Amino acid sequence: LDYLVGMIQRQPNSYHLIELYISILLRSGDISNAKDILYKSERTLKFTYTPGLYFCKGLYHKYMGETNKALIEFSKAKTDEEYGIKCIEQILEIYINPDCDILLINLDIPWNQKFSRNLLNYNTDDVNIDAINFLLRELKLRRDDDKTKVYEMYGIILSKDENKIKEKINELKTILSKNSNNLPVYIAYIMGNLIIKNFEEVKSSLNIMNNLTLNIKYYSDYERGFLIMTYLFMLTENLKKAEESIQKVLTLNIAQVKGYEFLAMIKEKENKFEEACACYEKAWEYSNKNNANIGYQLAVNYLNGKQYVKALNVCNEIKRKFKEYPIDDLASQAKNGLGN
């Protein structure tokens, strides 16, 4: 990492290096450290229009949970020949995944009934399908390839149209018959089968994915795959295997919020509430305190542990950032706890 920083300092406008640096910082849990590099790069600019910098700044804001700022930066370079398609992809990912949940949808686990679906779906209920379809058309005009079909599958998953999901599954299956090492297509195929509850096909495909050689380019897809594997183990209450799968995720990305959330749920199931609380704390920290649902779960655990000041602080943080989020009842409970 120090070597990479040195290269960037010598070539502050080498945006492919900055992009790599941001990706490494994300996975090591130090994404906030990218701010200085971006600032120094911006200070050396000789041109007013710098799409590479816009793209890198967009990535930084996206990973910090500042999606509106990210969209502004990506939009500046949408028409650029080199960075345009990458920016459209990132804008599409934000619309597909507004609450930064790598699994795209909320997966029900029968023994985890603490939180109502209204809370869990606070952001994902508001997914803008029309905007997603517009972006997909724009992307397809500029690059109609396998990766575009992956995004199409994720858009269809969010539309909850099972017939279209089945059609897209067949399309992706054809692609995989020609190239069985295409991990992004594999994961989209697995996600589609998961939605229609074709669990046997999901398990079979996950086993194949598990044997593929790790490629840094596809780390997000590996994360998604291992998280789906974790979910299936949690469904069958094989908590040991589920935890092993989560550790694979955290090896790829120490700041993987969903991994810590799943781990916290497992610890709650095992009545290890202090460990659960520690996991939610990490998830809250690594989401840059920009995921209201994680904050809610952390506040509940603080409340259960009679840590009323900490619970109230988290509630206030949520209220400050997400004014419409239903947190008032929880805050009142924390205040009552302090009063008693």
Side-chain angles (χ1 to χ4, degrees):
L1 196 59
D2 290 340
Y3 176 73
L4 184 58
V5 170
M7 289 181 66
I8 293 170
Q9 287 174 342
R10 290 190 294 273
Q11 306 171 60
N13 303 131
S14 294
Y15 300 115
H16 64 289
L17 294 179
I18 297 176
E19 180 184 350
L20 177 61
Y21 178 63
I22 289 171
S23 177
I24 292 171
L25 287 180
L26 170 72
R27 298 185 182 284
S28 61
D30 297 317
I31 185 62
S32 60
N33 291 339
K35 189 174 183 178
D36 287 343
I37 287 286
L38 290 168
Y39 175 71
K40 289 172 184 176
S41 177
E42 196 162 16
R43 287 184 63 188
T44 65
L45 288 181
K46 296 178 181 178
F47 308 101
T48 54
Y49 179 67
T50 317
L53 180 63
Y54 301 146
F55 177 73
C56 290
K57 286 175 71 176
L59 284 181
Y60 168 74
H61 289 304
K62 175 189 170 187
Y63 295 145
M64 287 291 288
E66 300 165 345
T67 52
N68 288 335
K69 290 180 180 179
L71 288 170
I72 290 169
E73 296 296 339
F74 289 135
S75 296
K76 291 177 183 177
K78 251 178 63 172
T79 58
D80 181 70
E81 187 173 337
E82 182 179 357
Y83 285 94
I85 288 176
K86 292 170 78 171
C87 285
I88 292 172
E89 286 180 348
Q90 291 297 330
I91 295 170
L92 188 55
E93 285 187 15
I94 289 172
Y95 273 97
I96 286 175
N97 190 11
D99 51 1
C100 298
D101 186 337
I102 197 167
L103 290 178
L104 307 181
I105 57 166
N106 291 302
L107 300 173
D108 288 326
I109 297 172
W111 43 263
N112 186 53
Q113 299 298 333
K114 275 188 169 185
F115 311 105
S116 71
R117 287 193 64 79
N118 286 336
L119 286 178
L120 286 171
N121 284 329
Y122 177 66
N123 288 325
T124 48
D125 276 348
D126 300 325
V127 169
N128 191 331
I129 299 297
D130 290 338
I132 290 170
N133 288 335
F134 176 82
L135 287 162
L136 283 170
R137 287 193 295 271
E138 189 174 357
L139 182 62
K140 199 166 184 175
L141 285 171
R142 296 182 65 172
R143 191 207 60 199
D144 188 10
D145 63 358
D146 293 348
K147 195 171 181 184
T148 302
K149 290 176 173 58
V150 168
Y151 284 123
E152 287 176 337
M153 170 57 101
Y154 291 147
I156 291 169
I157 283 172
L158 291 172
S159 74
K160 302 173 184 175
D161 187 326
E162 285 204 13
N163 290 328
K164 287 186 178 179
I165 290 173
K166 289 175 183 176
E167 288 176 17
K168 186 58 69 172
I169 284 173
N170 290 330
E171 189 176 344
L172 296 180
K173 193 171 185 177
T174 301
I175 295 171
L176 290 171
S177 68
K178 299 172 185 174
N179 180 9
S180 60
N181 291 319
N182 193 325
L183 186 62
V185 172
Y186 245 122
I187 299 302
Y189 174 76
I190 290 168
M191 281 290 293
N193 278 290
L194 185 66
I195 301 309
I196 62 172
K197 295 183 170 57
N198 187 357
F199 293 124
E200 288 305 313
E201 184 63 26
V202 171
K203 289 175 185 175
S204 172
S205 300
L206 283 171
N207 287 333
I208 294 170
M209 180 217 78
N210 209 9
N211 293 322
L212 294 177
T213 304
L214 281 174
N215 183 331
I216 190 170
K217 191 165 67 170
Y218 300 137
Y219 268 21
S220 292
D221 298 292
Y222 285 110
E223 287 174 50
R224 186 171 276 132
F226 286 129
L227 285 170
I228 294 170
M229 203 178 288
T230 301
Y231 165 70
L232 294 179
F233 286 132
M234 290 169 77
L235 269 188
T236 56
E237 299 199 26
N238 190 337
L239 303 187
K240 183 179 178 182
K241 285 285 188 182
E243 195 162 340
E244 287 174 4
S245 187
I246 291 171
Q247 293 308 323
K248 290 180 181 179
V249 175
L250 297 179
T251 299
L252 295 171
N253 182 358
I254 199 172
Q256 175 43 252
V257 171
K258 195 68 181 181
Y260 288 113
E261 185 181 2
F262 272 173
L263 193 54
M265 290 164 62
I266 290 170
K267 297 305 178 185
E268 287 177 313
K269 175 69 173 174
E270 296 173 335
N271 294 322
K272 298 176 180 177
F273 298 112
E274 285 188 17
E275 291 181 43
C277 202
C279 292
Y280 282 129
E281 284 174 345
K282 283 186 176 293
W284 182 234
E285 175 192 347
Y286 287 132
S287 70
N288 197 34
K289 300 182 180 179
N290 279 321
N291 187 316
N293 298 327
I294 296 294
Y296 181 90
Q297 293 173 83
L298 176 58
V300 167
N301 274 265
Y302 279 147
L303 203 60
N304 290 340
K306 298 184 179 180
Q307 299 184 66
Y308 301 119
V309 173
K310 287 185 177 181
L312 189 57
N313 286 341
V314 173
C315 289
N316 289 337
E317 188 76 26
I318 293 171
K319 194 67 178 176
R320 184 176 68 81
K321 290 187 175 182
F322 308 92
K323 299 190 186 304
E324 302 302 319
Y325 196 89
I327 198 73
D328 291 339
D329 286 349
L330 209 58
S332 295
Q333 290 177 52
K335 287 176 184 175
N336 290 338
L338 282 172
N340 295 330

